């Protein structure tokens, strides 16, 4: 579904990603792991055309996107849940969710049934400002906003960061359901190796902006984790 070849990415003169190669099949969860500062967030931003400059190749369903702007990538079927969530605090829950629907190509501007199924609290409080929600509820809102675009590929950047422990397991269950039941392909940046091993089909380990190890999830050994993730 997604093929990334020789991907280079820059912030100004800073060369962050160096020759990234990834293959993600339809229906997979690929987890991108590594220490802080290794380029994981930059990889997701590059896939969404949110860095200053990039080169290489990004094919989604056979369509080349490396020169496409962010809105065209969203309309091609990529949705992004950024680190920190970035919901608009003064917008209501409804307004935040419907922002995602503007990426749809069929003109539909409605809240999908899947959002109502996964996030009943949000549906029960559609007129509440997003800024009044807890961190976990804002993460749910950010995911709901992404789902309103009806994406083929969902990019999640550390969705459990800064969330109360009681909500972490719920977010993890939702990610697995989106993949297994809704059939959404996922690229997940995540530090929780136990969850990575439980949920993922494949992994890619980043170090200094390059992929240093990748493969099926059962090849993610403790030795690899210790070598590339232990501080």
């Amino acid at each position: 579904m997604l093929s990334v070849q020789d991907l280079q990415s820059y912030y100004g003169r800073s060369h962050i990603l160096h020759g990234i190669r990834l293959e993600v099949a339809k229906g997979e969860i690929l987890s991108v792991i590594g220490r802080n500062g290794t380029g994981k967030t930059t990889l997701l931003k590059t896939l969404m055309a949110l860095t200053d400059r990039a080169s290489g190749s990004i094919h989604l369903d056979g369509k080349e996107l490396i020169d496409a702007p962010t809105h065209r990538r969203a309309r091609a079927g990529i949705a992004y849940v950024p680190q920190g969530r970035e919901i608009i605090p003064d917008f209501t829950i409804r307004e935040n969710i419907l922002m995602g629907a503007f990426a749809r190509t069929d003109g539909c501007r409605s809240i999908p049934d899947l959002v109502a199924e996964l996030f009943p609290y949000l549906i029960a409080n559609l007129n509440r400002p997003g800024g009044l929600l807890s961190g976990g509820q804002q993460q749910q809102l950010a995911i709901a906003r992404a789902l309103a675009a009806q994406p083929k590929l969902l990019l999640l950047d550390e969705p459990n960061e800064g969330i109360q422990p009681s909500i972490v397991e719920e977010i993890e269950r939702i990610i697995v359901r989106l993949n297994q039941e809704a059939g959404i392909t996922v690229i997940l940046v995540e530090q929780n190796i136990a969850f990575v091993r439980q949920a993922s089909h494949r992994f890619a380990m980043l170090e200094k902006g390059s992929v240093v190890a990748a493969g099926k999830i059962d090849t993610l050994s403790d030795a690899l984790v210790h070598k590339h993730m232990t501080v």
Side-chain angles (χ1 to χ4, degrees):
M1 177 185 219
L2 180 74
S3 176
V4 175
Q5 302 294 328
D6 192 29
L7 187 63
Q8 318 283 336
S9 190
Y10 302 80
Y11 293 118
R13 295 183 179 180
S14 298
H15 190 176
I16 308 299
L17 298 184
H18 305 269
I20 298 289
R21 300 171 67 91
L22 294 173
E23 301 283 344
V24 187
K26 184 177 180 180
E28 280 190 337
I29 295 180
L30 170 76
S31 284
V32 180
I33 56 179
R35 295 185 181 94
N36 290 334
T38 57
K40 303 184 301 295
T41 292
T42 298
L43 173 59
L44 298 191
K45 287 187 173 182
T46 304
L47 293 176
M48 287 304 299
L50 295 173
T51 61
D52 293 341
R53 180 163 55 97
S55 64
S57 177
I58 301 171
H59 276 90
L60 180 69
D61 286 338
K63 180 184 294 185
E64 177 60 74
L65 295 177
I66 192 63
D67 293 323
T70 299
H71 72 274
R72 278 188 51 204
R73 298 188 192 198
R75 291 190 172 186
I78 306 176
Y80 177 41
V81 180
Q83 193 175 28
R85 300 174 280 276
E86 297 182 12
I87 61 111
I88 298 180
D90 292 335
F91 278 22
T92 64
I93 289 173
R94 176 186 283 106
E95 290 166 337
N96 270 283
I97 294 173
L98 290 179
M99 283 180 61
F102 283 92
R104 292 181 59 160
T105 57
D106 61 2
C108 182
R109 303 290 182 261
S110 62
I111 298 174
D113 292 341
L114 180 60
V115 169
E117 180 182 342
L118 293 175
F119 306 116
Y121 175 84
L122 299 182
I123 299 304
N125 293 273
L126 286 173
N127 294 320
R128 191 177 190 195
L132 298 181
L133 302 180
S134 69
Q137 290 165 345
Q138 288 187 9
Q139 186 62 273
Q140 292 179 356
L141 179 55
I143 295 172
R145 178 183 59 196
L147 294 178
Q150 291 197 325
K152 303 174 185 176
L153 175 64
L154 182 62
L155 311 179
L156 295 168
D157 194 354
E158 298 202 29
N160 290 323
E161 184 183 47
I163 292 178
Q164 55 269 44
S166 60
I167 304 297
V168 167
E169 289 188 5
E170 181 179 350
I171 295 292
E172 291 177 348
R173 284 195 298 270
I174 286 168
I175 293 168
V176 172
R177 286 187 64 186
L178 290 174
N179 175 250
Q180 294 183 353
E181 298 178 20
I184 298 174
T185 306
V186 177
I187 298 180
L188 170 69
V189 168
E190 180 57 66
Q191 298 283 6
N192 183 340
I193 295 299
F195 177 56
V196 165
R197 285 174 166 153
Q198 170 199 334
S200 309
H201 300 90
R202 303 179 67 84
F203 77 95
M205 182 87 70
L206 264 60
E207 191 165 293
K208 296 180 180 178
S210 298
V211 176
V212 293
K216 293 182 178 180
I217 198 62
D218 59 9
T219 66
L220 178 59
S221 64
D222 290 341
L224 269 177
V225 172
H226 180 77
K227 180 178 180 180
H228 295 291
M229 292 191 70
T230 303
V231 177

